[in-house]
Structures are given as C-alpha cells and as structure tokens.
Amino acid sequence: MAERSTDIEAALARYIPRHVLSSGHGDKPSQRDFNGVVLMLDIAGFTSLTQAFVGEISAGAERLSGILDCYFGCMTDIAVRHGGDVLDVVGDAVLVAWTCQARPLEIGRVAVQCGLAMQAALPEIVAQTGVQLRQRVSVASGPLTHFIVGGVAEKWHCLTAGNPLIEAAFANTHGGPDNVVVSALLWQQLAPCSTGRVLADGRAVVSSVVEASSLPVSLLADGAGIQSDLARYVSQPLLDRLRMGGGHWLGEFRTVTTLFMGVPGVDCTRSDALNLLQTVIEGAQRIHARVGGTLMRLSSDDKGVFLLAAFGLPLTAREDDAVRALTAAQVFSQYLREHSIPVNLGVATGPVFYADSGSTKRRHAGLTGGAVNLAARLMVASRGGILCDGTTRVAACRGFQFESCEPVVAKGLADPVPVWQPGVRLAHERRAFLGTVVGRTDEMRRMSQALTIVEQGASAAFVLRGEPGIGKSRLIADMASRARERGMRIAWGAGYSLETGSVYFPWRQIFAQMLSANEDVDEASARRAAAAIVSDDERLTSWLPLLDDVLPLHFMPTEVTEQMSSQARAASLRVLVVGFAMRLTRIKPLLLIADDLHWFDYASASLLLALISARVPGLMVLIGTRPLGLGAALATRETLAQAELIELDALSPAEVGVLISGRMAVMQASHALVEFVSSRTAGNPFYAEELMLALRTAGQLELVDGEARLCLARNLGCRCLMSCAASSSAA
C-alpha cells in the first residue's frame, strides 16, 4: 500500500511546478517575491490542429495524443535541461521561469539559449509528426511573485505573476514565427554577449548567444524527497485518473462547457495582491463545490488574472453542465461585486480535447479546442458581464432566459460570433424542459385525473420510472405547469449524484419553497412563516429548531430538542413535516415534486416515505427515478411501493418524428431522418435531441420545403458527438 502511495506521489510530482515541490507550503495562502526570467513559448495554429481531428473519433484522439506528447515532451525536456521551472501550459503556450537572485546575466543568457534550442528542435518534431507547426518564443526579466492560494476542501492553486509575464506576452506578438524575442530591458543586459536584430520599441530578435552558459539541473529524483500531500495541487479528475493506475492516458474528445473568469482589477504587484487573490479563488472554489464543474487553472498574462473552469470532464459530467456553468458564472459575478472586484465572464460549449502530455520529467493535463478559445474571447468581450455562445444557449435554455447581444468580432474568429447574455433563472417547473410533451398520452391522463381529485381533498402519489433521458423530468415539468394553472402550490426538490452524502439535500429546496415564494430564503421571514404554520400546535412549535437540520434558519434550541437523540430528531422531523403539509394543504392543494429519487440520501428518502404514508388530503407527490440498483436504501424502495408506478418506455418512430418536427420548427421530418435518429437513440427523447443538435452543428441537416432532411455527404463524426452526449447523461 505504501509503495502504491509513493508511486502516485511520484506521478503527481510531474504535474506540479518545481517551486511548489520545494516550497514547503503549509495550510495558509502564501507568496514569495523574487527576481527572475520568464520564457513564453506560443504555438501558432494549435486550435486549428485540434479541430482537424474532432471528426476522427478514436483514431483522431490517438494521433493527436501522440503529436502533443511528442511536442510538449520535447519542449519541456529542453526547458528542464536548461534549469527552467515549467510553470504551466496555458492553452497553446508554455510558461517557464528561472530564479536569478545571484546571477541575473547568467540566467538571462541561459533562458535565451533555451528559447533558441526550442526553435532549433522544431523541424525534427515536424518530421516525426508530419504536422507543420510554427512557434514564437519571448523572454523577459524582472520582479516576479509565486502565489499559492485557495485551501477550500484542501485544494490549492499556484500562480506566478509579475510585469515580466506581461512583457513576455507583448513581446510574443512582435516577433514572427521561429523567432526568439527578448524584452528591451533584458536586451540591454544581453547585447554585449548576443547577436540579434533590434526592433523599433527596443525589443530584439536574438539569433545567438555568443558566450553560452549552463546551469545545473536541480530536479527531484523520482520519488525522492516528494511531499506526501501533492494531491492538493491537482484537479480531482486528474487525481482520479492517476489513482486508477496510469501515469499518463490517451486523450479524448468530449463535449465540455468551459467558463473563463477574468479579474482584470487584481494587480499582482500590489501589496494586497495575496488577499485579493485569496478572496477570488476561495469564492470560486466554494461556488464550484456547490454548483459543480472543475477549476482547471489560475493564470496571469497581459489581460490580467483569469480562471478556467470546465463542466463535463470524466467522472464529473452531467446532462445539465451548461446550466451549471452559467449558474456558477452568475453566482461568481455576484460574489465579486459584493467584494468590489470587477469580473469578465465567457462561456462556450463544444467538443474539446482533454489530454495528458509531456515527458517523464514534466507533464500537463488540460483542454484544447475551439470552445476553450471562444470562451476566452467572450470573457474579454464581456466587459463586466457574462457572454455565452449559441451552443451553450441551446444547451441551457431549460434553465435560463437569454438576451441577444451584438455579435463579437475577436482575434482568430473569421466571422462575427452571435452571443447571448444569460438572464433570469427559470422557475422550477420550467427549468427541467421547455416545449410540448411528445407522446405519454395515457400517463398525462392518469396524472391529470389525480390533480382533479387532489383539488377535491384526496391524496395521490406517482412514481415515474425510466432510464436516463427517457422524459421523466419533461413530464414532471408539464404536470407542474398544469398544477400551477389550477392554482396549486408547487414545491420541488431533486437529488444530485455529488450530494448523496449530504443529509436532507433535496429537502433544502423543498422547504425553501414551502416557506417562501422561491429558494432565496430570508431567515427571519422563513422563521416567522414556519412558526405561523404550526402556531396551533404547541408540540410542533417546540420542534421548529429541528428545521435547522435541513435549512440554516437559526432557531433557538428548545429544551425538548436539546434532549433529543439523533434518532428522535429524525423521527420528530418527519412528524413535523407531515404537520406542515397538512396545514399548508388546508389553504391550497400542494404538488410536491421529488426528482432523481435514486440520488436521495437515506434520511431524505425516509422523510419522503413518511409524507406519502400519511396520505395528506390535498397533497400529490410526484417522483422521478431511474431503475434502482441492488444497493438502494430500504426507505427508497418502500417509497416506491407506496406510490402508483408509471413506467416510461421509449418513443415510437412516429413520436420521434413529432419530436424532431417540434424541436426543429418544421412541418415534418423525412422518413430517412426519423429512421436514422430513432434507430441510433432507441427512441430515447434526450438522446434524440442531442443527436439532432449534433447533426445540425455538423451541417448534416437541410430544410427543404418545410421538411427536415438528413444530408450524409459530409461525415463529421456524429457517433463521437453522440458518445459525448451519452456519457454526460450517464453521469
């Protein structure tokens, strides 16, 4: 076991900058100021290279992984041989740093040597891979700072910042491909021992260093002297990959929603920079821990400090990743406004390449692709707001209203890009799905009849059971809309895969809606509302502090609740909830929705079981669940036994045709298109819609005389996109 742990730590060390490995960092935010030299290596046309392999499915992923390993392995090895600390791979750029406290001129020459060696090595890489690559190298020197910030859930992020990074980014744009450009300040120091061409702004294109220098390479030997807590510096998806038994893996194309968060107001040269960075990253960590997604990177360049988050990585993907990304963007924007920190946010969705690349000494796991670049461009264009692309808008239209904005014209984009700004979150009964339910006539009839008898004082409970994407949430949304039209109260809660260990998690949403008009609960108002509901019962009133087990309403504990054991608290809370429901339904019938029951924790399922078993007059409970596995809790199984079961089967081909026509806003779909979609999705509505989106994005649909038709002239890898959609849903 100890050997296995050592192997993992040795593998992790290859993904972490050398200055972090040797920092002795503890459990507090830290910074270290130093004089240094930075090198920026930028690859031209890298995104185009990635996009060229998108449609080749596994063969494209395998070949692109090989190209990246060859390129980044060679370049990082050159940096390491020259004593450089490979800080990060930011998109298509590699950042390397040297500390030069004692020998600044010597270090400057070595850094330029490193850049020249990188340019000299490129032709051999081109010959090996068969891919024409061009690259720019820039070098700058001056005061720099290493920051380590975060700490939420024991995860820390590293950032190296300072004016030399900004200068290197500017210098990179002044030289042509195959050049090594140095800053004006560094050229003044290197001119006596170098040859080069001076540019108009004082920078120089260096062709050789006359007096070559070398540095000893101070790297940790494999496994020797490595800390035992390196997992806190890498993302969870990478950590999971390494723990599953691989020092490196074959990259894969995935449909991912990327969120870029820029904080241009954070000046890393200021004395309060550490506190500002800690505020930013701690807030981002807490928000993403709640909403989902993975914080991939904290970086700094000429555009300021920015963060990259990804929604849809392996083992974390969900079918509502786009909704989660926009939710994170809105909450993060509000959080930073409260701290008077400006923020720009850009969101884009599409196929990206998630891969591990590099050498045995230094590796990197990251994302490349058009969606990543587009999100970065939208971040810059947002000017204090949130902008998203059309794919994100379509994927998140069930969760948000959107406002169209002026198309964005940005570097690297041939045409102006249509963009939208996410607005108001949709109400719960509209959030799951918009549009008309296709098929399900008998199911709708049975539940509509139940609504009628519930209005008359009866009780009812239904379970909608079916595979992922079969239409449970769409049907629930339609029933919620019908109940609201009848004037019924709606309370909605759902389980989540990442919250199965959070006791009463689905009930937080339900209670919030019982006690207020929405989930934005004001504690004082909620306490007053709860007290008013049970004001006729002294015993239930004394139990109100039990609600703090579900929602932090901060009731003062009573003598009764202080003496309760944990089992007594749970049993009394169930009685209290039934009492709440009985009193609320006397005023207005209640539809209580419990979606994704398969993700409910035991306590939440027991609470739901108690409510159904009480047969509260005027209450209808509507449950959505996948088929339960063998490990499902007894309370969950008993809940299903207490309700009327409705099994949701696949749509027929005719119903798939209606679905296509409605979603495409056409009169009809051709027989070939219906057959293509129906056969490849097995009549699953969610998969059918995802395939339709993939076909439209790939340009394989055409509209002729009001009919949607399949165009198979261009095979752009729909199976790959369907695989991405299927993996997201399965999560």
Side-chain angles (χ1 to χ4, degrees), residues 454-509:
V454 165
E455 285 183 297
Q456 297 168 357
S459 65
F462 288 90
V463 173
L464 304 180
R465 185 168 66 186
E467 297 295 338
I470 204 65
K472 300 181 295 293
S473 296
R474 185 187 296 277
L475 199 51
I476 287 172
D478 192 273
M479 289 307 302
S481 178
R482 295 183 182 213
R484 184 171 291 278
E485 290 175 358
R486 294 168 178 247
M488 297 178 67
R489 180 193 295 268
I490 311 293
W492 178 95
Y496 288 106
S497 59
L498 298 183
E499 299 288 355
T500 54
S502 299
V503 179
Y504 296 125
F505 174 78
W507 284 92
R508 297 174 197 171
Q509 308 159 57

Coordinates of all heavy atoms in Angstrom, one line a residue, residues 454-509:
V454 N -57.2 15.5 -6.1 CA -56.4 16.1 -5.1 C -57.0 17.5 -4.7 O -57.1 17.9 -3.6 CB -54.9 16.2 -5.4 CG1 -54.2 17.2 -4.5 CG2 -54.3 14.8 -5.4
E455 N -57.4 18.2 -5.8 CA -58.1 19.5 -5.6 C -59.3 19.3 -4.7 O -59.7 20.3 -4.0 CB -58.5 20.1 -6.9 CG -57.3 20.7 -7.7 CD -57.7 21.4 -8.9 OE1 -58.3 20.7 -9.8 OE2 -57.6 22.6 -9.0
Q456 N -60.0 18.2 -4.8 CA -61.2 17.9 -4.1 C -61.0 17.4 -2.7 O -61.9 17.0 -1.9 CB -62.1 17.0 -4.9 CG -62.5 17.5 -6.2 CD -63.1 16.5 -7.1 OE1 -63.2 15.3 -6.8 NE2 -63.6 16.9 -8.3
G457 N -59.7 17.2 -2.3 CA -59.3 16.8 -0.9 C -58.8 15.4 -0.8 O -58.5 15.0 0.3
A458 N -58.5 14.7 -1.9 CA -57.9 13.4 -1.8 C -56.4 13.6 -1.8 O -55.8 14.7 -1.9 CB -58.4 12.6 -3.0
S459 N -55.7 12.4 -1.7 CA -54.2 12.4 -1.8 C -53.8 11.5 -2.9 O -54.6 10.6 -3.3 CB -53.6 12.0 -0.5 OG -53.9 10.6 -0.2
A460 N -52.6 11.7 -3.5 CA -52.1 10.9 -4.6 C -50.6 10.9 -4.6 O -50.0 11.8 -4.1 CB -52.7 11.4 -5.9
A461 N -50.0 9.8 -5.1 CA -48.6 9.7 -5.2 C -48.2 8.9 -6.5 O -48.8 7.8 -6.6 CB -47.9 9.1 -4.0
F462 N -47.4 9.4 -7.3 CA -46.9 8.7 -8.5 C -45.4 8.6 -8.6 O -44.7 9.5 -8.1 CB -47.4 9.4 -9.8 CG -48.9 9.3 -10.0 CD1 -49.8 10.3 -9.5 CD2 -49.4 8.3 -10.7 CE1 -51.1 10.2 -9.7 CE2 -50.8 8.2 -11.0 CZ -51.7 9.2 -10.4
V463 N -44.9 7.5 -9.1 CA -43.5 7.4 -9.4 C -43.4 7.2 -10.9 O -43.9 6.3 -11.5 CB -42.9 6.1 -8.7 CG1 -41.5 5.9 -9.2 CG2 -42.9 6.3 -7.2
L464 N -42.6 8.1 -11.6 CA -42.2 8.0 -13.0 C -40.9 7.3 -13.0 O -39.9 7.9 -12.6 CB -42.2 9.4 -13.6 CG -43.5 10.2 -13.6 CD1 -43.2 11.5 -14.3 CD2 -44.6 9.5 -14.2
R465 N -40.8 6.1 -13.6 CA -39.5 5.4 -13.6 C -39.1 5.1 -15.0 O -39.9 4.7 -15.9 CB -39.7 4.0 -12.8 CG -38.4 3.3 -12.7 CD -38.5 2.1 -11.7 NE -39.4 1.1 -12.2 CZ -39.8 0.0 -11.5 NH1 -39.4 -0.1 -10.3 NH2 -40.6 -0.9 -12.0
G466 N -37.8 5.4 -15.3 CA -37.3 5.2 -16.6 C -35.8 5.4 -16.7 O -35.2 6.0 -15.8
E467 N -35.2 5.0 -17.8 CA -33.8 5.2 -18.0 C -33.5 6.7 -18.1 O -34.3 7.5 -18.4 CB -33.3 4.4 -19.2 CG -33.5 2.9 -19.1 CD -32.7 2.3 -18.0 OE1 -31.6 2.9 -17.7 OE2 -33.0 1.2 -17.6
P468 N -32.2 7.1 -18.0 CA -31.8 8.5 -18.2 C -32.2 9.0 -19.5 O -32.0 8.3 -20.6 CB -30.2 8.4 -18.0 CG -30.0 7.2 -17.2 CD -31.0 6.2 -17.6
G469 N -32.8 10.2 -19.6 CA -33.1 10.8 -20.8 C -34.5 10.4 -21.4 O -34.9 10.8 -22.5
I470 N -35.2 9.5 -20.7 CA -36.4 8.9 -21.3 C -37.6 9.9 -21.2 O -38.6 9.7 -21.9 CB -36.8 7.6 -20.5 CG1 -37.7 6.7 -21.5 CG2 -37.5 7.9 -19.2 CD1 -37.0 6.2 -22.7
G471 N -37.5 11.0 -20.4 CA -38.5 12.0 -20.4 C -39.2 12.2 -19.1 O -40.2 12.9 -19.0
K472 N -38.6 11.7 -18.0 CA -39.2 11.9 -16.7 C -39.3 13.3 -16.3 O -40.4 13.8 -15.9 CB -38.4 11.1 -15.6 CG -38.2 9.7 -15.9 CD -37.4 9.0 -14.8 CE -36.0 9.5 -14.7 NZ -35.2 9.1 -15.9
S473 N -38.2 14.1 -16.4 CA -38.2 15.5 -16.0 C -39.1 16.3 -16.9 O -39.8 17.3 -16.4 CB -36.8 16.0 -16.0 OG -36.0 15.4 -15.0
R474 N -39.2 16.0 -18.2 CA -40.1 16.8 -19.1 C -41.5 16.6 -18.6 O -42.3 17.5 -18.6 CB -39.9 16.3 -20.5 CG -40.7 17.1 -21.5 CD -40.6 16.6 -22.9 NE -39.2 16.6 -23.4 CZ -38.7 17.6 -24.0 NH1 -39.3 18.8 -24.1 NH2 -37.4 17.6 -24.5
L475 N -41.9 15.3 -18.3 CA -43.3 15.0 -17.9 C -43.6 15.7 -16.6 O -44.7 16.3 -16.4 CB -43.5 13.5 -17.8 CG -44.9 12.9 -17.8 CD1 -45.7 13.5 -19.0 CD2 -44.8 11.4 -17.9
I476 N -42.6 15.7 -15.7 CA -42.8 16.4 -14.4 C -43.0 17.9 -14.6 O -43.9 18.5 -14.0 CB -41.6 16.1 -13.5 CG1 -41.6 14.6 -13.0 CG2 -41.6 17.1 -12.3 CD1 -40.4 14.2 -12.2
A477 N -42.2 18.4 -15.5 CA -42.3 19.9 -15.7 C -43.7 20.2 -16.3 O -44.3 21.2 -15.9 CB -41.2 20.3 -16.7
D478 N -44.2 19.4 -17.2 CA -45.5 19.6 -17.7 C -46.6 19.5 -16.7 O -47.6 20.4 -16.6 CB -45.8 18.6 -18.8 CG -47.1 19.0 -19.7 OD1 -48.2 18.6 -19.3 OD2 -46.9 19.7 -20.7
M479 N -46.5 18.5 -15.8 CA -47.5 18.4 -14.7 C -47.4 19.6 -13.7 O -48.5 20.0 -13.2 CB -47.3 17.1 -14.0 CG -47.7 15.8 -14.7 SD -49.3 15.9 -15.4 CE -50.3 16.1 -13.9
A480 N -46.2 20.1 -13.5 CA -46.1 21.2 -12.6 C -46.8 22.4 -13.2 O -47.4 23.2 -12.5 CB -44.6 21.5 -12.3
S481 N -46.6 22.6 -14.5 CA -47.2 23.7 -15.2 C -48.8 23.6 -15.1 O -49.5 24.6 -14.8 CB -46.8 23.8 -16.6 OG -47.4 24.8 -17.3
R482 N -49.3 22.4 -15.3 CA -50.8 22.2 -15.2 C -51.3 22.5 -13.7 O -52.3 23.1 -13.6 CB -51.1 20.8 -15.6 CG -50.8 20.5 -17.1 CD -51.3 19.1 -17.5 NE -50.9 18.9 -18.9 CZ -51.7 18.1 -19.7 NH1 -52.8 17.6 -19.2 NH2 -51.3 17.9 -20.9
A483 N -50.5 22.1 -12.7 CA -50.9 22.3 -11.4 C -50.9 23.8 -11.0 O -51.8 24.3 -10.4 CB -49.9 21.5 -10.4
R484 N -49.9 24.5 -11.5 CA -49.9 25.9 -11.3 C -51.0 26.6 -11.9 O -51.6 27.6 -11.4 CB -48.5 26.5 -11.8 CG -48.4 28.0 -11.5 CD -47.0 28.5 -11.8 NE -46.0 28.0 -10.9 CZ -45.8 28.4 -9.7 NH1 -46.5 29.5 -9.2 NH2 -44.8 27.9 -8.9
E485 N -51.4 26.2 -13.1 CA -52.6 26.8 -13.8 C -53.8 26.6 -13.0 O -54.8 27.4 -13.1 CB -52.7 26.1 -15.2 CG -51.7 26.6 -16.2 CD -51.8 25.8 -17.5 OE1 -52.7 25.0 -17.6 OE2 -51.0 26.1 -18.4
R486 N -53.9 25.5 -12.2 CA -55.0 25.2 -11.4 C -55.0 26.0 -10.0 O -55.9 25.9 -9.2 CB -55.1 23.7 -11.1 CG -55.4 22.9 -12.3 CD -55.2 21.4 -11.9 NE -55.5 20.5 -13.1 CZ -56.6 19.6 -13.1 NH1 -57.4 19.6 -12.0 NH2 -56.8 18.9 -14.1
G487 N -53.9 26.7 -9.8 CA -53.7 27.5 -8.6 C -53.1 26.7 -7.4 O -53.2 27.1 -6.3
M488 N -52.5 25.6 -7.7 CA -51.9 24.8 -6.7 C -50.5 25.3 -6.3 O -49.9 26.0 -7.1 CB -51.7 23.3 -7.1 CG -53.1 22.6 -7.4 SD -52.9 20.9 -8.0 CE -52.2 20.1 -6.6
R489 N -50.1 25.0 -5.1 CA -48.8 25.4 -4.6 C -47.8 24.3 -5.2 O -48.1 23.1 -5.2 CB -48.7 25.4 -3.1 CG -47.3 25.8 -2.5 CD -47.3 25.5 -1.0 NE -48.2 26.3 -0.3 CZ -47.9 27.5 0.3 NH1 -46.6 27.9 0.1 NH2 -48.7 28.2 0.9
I490 N -46.6 24.7 -5.5 CA -45.5 23.8 -6.0 C -44.3 23.9 -5.1 O -43.8 24.9 -4.8 CB -45.1 24.2 -7.5 CG1 -46.3 24.4 -8.4 CG2 -44.2 23.1 -8.0 CD1 -47.1 23.2 -8.7
A491 N -43.8 22.7 -4.7 CA -42.6 22.6 -4.0 C -41.8 21.5 -4.7 O -42.2 20.4 -4.8 CB -42.8 22.2 -2.5
W492 N -40.6 21.8 -5.1 CA -39.8 21.0 -6.0 C -38.4 20.7 -5.4 O -37.8 21.7 -4.9 CB -39.6 21.7 -7.3 CG -38.8 21.0 -8.4 CD1 -39.3 20.2 -9.4 CD2 -37.4 21.1 -8.6 NE1 -38.2 19.8 -10.2 CE2 -37.1 20.3 -9.7 CE3 -36.4 21.8 -7.9 CZ2 -35.8 20.2 -10.2 CZ3 -35.1 21.6 -8.4 CH2 -34.8 20.9 -9.5
G493 N -37.9 19.5 -5.4 CA -36.6 19.2 -4.9 C -36.0 18.0 -5.8 O -36.8 17.2 -6.4
A494 N -34.7 17.9 -5.9 CA -34.1 16.9 -6.7 C -32.8 16.4 -6.0 O -32.1 17.2 -5.4 CB -33.8 17.4 -8.1
G495 N -32.5 15.1 -6.1 CA -31.2 14.6 -5.7 C -30.2 14.9 -6.7 O -30.5 15.1 -7.9
Y496 N -28.9 14.9 -6.3 CA -27.8 15.0 -7.2 C -26.7 14.0 -6.9 O -26.5 13.7 -5.7 CB -27.2 16.4 -7.1 CG -28.1 17.5 -7.7 CD1 -28.8 18.4 -6.9 CD2 -28.2 17.6 -9.1 CE1 -29.6 19.4 -7.4 CE2 -29.0 18.6 -9.6 CZ -29.7 19.5 -8.8 OH -30.6 20.4 -9.3
S497 N -26.0 13.6 -7.9 CA -25.1 12.5 -7.7 C -24.0 12.9 -6.8 O -23.4 12.0 -6.1 CB -24.5 12.1 -9.1 OG -23.9 13.2 -9.7
L498 N -23.6 14.1 -6.8 CA -22.5 14.6 -5.9 C -22.9 14.9 -4.5 O -22.1 15.3 -3.7 CB -21.7 15.8 -6.5 CG -21.1 15.5 -7.9 CD1 -20.3 16.7 -8.3 CD2 -20.1 14.3 -7.8
E499 N -24.2 14.8 -4.2 CA -24.8 15.2 -2.9 C -25.4 14.0 -2.2 O -26.2 14.3 -1.3 CB -25.8 16.4 -3.1 CG -25.3 17.6 -3.7 CD -24.3 18.4 -2.8 OE1 -24.2 18.0 -1.6 OE2 -23.8 19.4 -3.2
T500 N -25.1 12.8 -2.6 CA -25.8 11.7 -1.9 C -25.3 11.6 -0.5 O -26.0 10.9 0.3 CB -25.4 10.4 -2.7 OG1 -24.0 10.3 -2.8 CG2 -26.1 10.4 -4.1
G501 N -24.2 12.2 -0.1 CA -23.8 12.1 1.2 C -24.2 13.3 2.0 O -23.9 13.4 3.2
S502 N -24.9 14.3 1.4 CA -25.4 15.5 2.1 C -26.8 15.2 2.7 O -27.8 15.1 1.9 CB -25.4 16.7 1.2 OG -24.1 16.9 0.7
V503 N -26.9 15.1 4.0 CA -28.2 14.7 4.6 C -29.3 15.8 4.3 O -29.0 17.0 4.5 CB -28.0 14.5 6.1 CG1 -29.4 14.2 6.8 CG2 -27.0 13.4 6.4
Y504 N -30.4 15.4 3.9 CA -31.6 16.2 3.6 C -31.3 17.2 2.4 O -32.0 18.2 2.3 CB -32.0 17.0 4.8 CG -32.5 16.1 5.9 CD1 -31.9 16.2 7.2 CD2 -33.5 15.2 5.8 CE1 -32.4 15.4 8.3 CE2 -34.0 14.4 6.8 CZ -33.4 14.5 8.1 OH -33.9 13.8 9.1
F505 N -30.4 16.9 1.6 CA -30.1 17.9 0.5 C -31.3 18.2 -0.4 O -31.6 19.4 -0.6 CB -28.9 17.4 -0.4 CG -28.7 18.2 -1.6 CD1 -28.0 19.4 -1.5 CD2 -29.2 17.9 -2.9 CE1 -27.7 20.2 -2.6 CE2 -29.0 18.7 -4.0 CZ -28.2 19.9 -3.8
P506 N -32.1 17.3 -0.9 CA -33.3 17.6 -1.7 C -34.3 18.4 -0.9 O -35.0 19.3 -1.5 CB -33.8 16.3 -2.1 CG -32.7 15.3 -1.9 CD -32.0 15.8 -0.7
W507 N -34.4 18.2 0.4 CA -35.4 18.9 1.2 C -35.0 20.4 1.5 O -35.9 21.1 1.9 CB -35.6 18.1 2.5 CG -36.4 16.9 2.3 CD1 -36.0 15.6 2.0 CD2 -37.9 16.8 2.2 NE1 -37.0 14.8 1.8 CE2 -38.2 15.5 2.0 CE3 -38.9 17.8 2.4 CZ2 -39.5 15.1 1.9 CZ3 -40.2 17.4 2.3 CH2 -40.5 16.0 2.0
R508 N -33.8 20.7 1.3 CA -33.4 22.1 1.4 C -34.2 23.0 0.4 O -34.8 24.0 0.7 CB -31.9 22.3 1.2 CG -31.1 21.7 2.2 CD -29.6 21.8 1.8 NE -28.8 20.8 2.5 CZ -27.5 20.6 2.3 NH1 -26.9 21.3 1.3 NH2 -26.8 19.7 2.9
Q509 N -34.3 22.5 -0.8 CA -35.1 23.1 -1.9 C -36.6 23.1 -1.6 O -37.2 24.1 -1.7 CB -34.8 22.5 -3.2 CG -33.3 22.3 -3.6 CD -33.1 21.2 -4.6 OE1 -33.7 21.3 -5.7 NE2 -32.3 20.2 -4.3

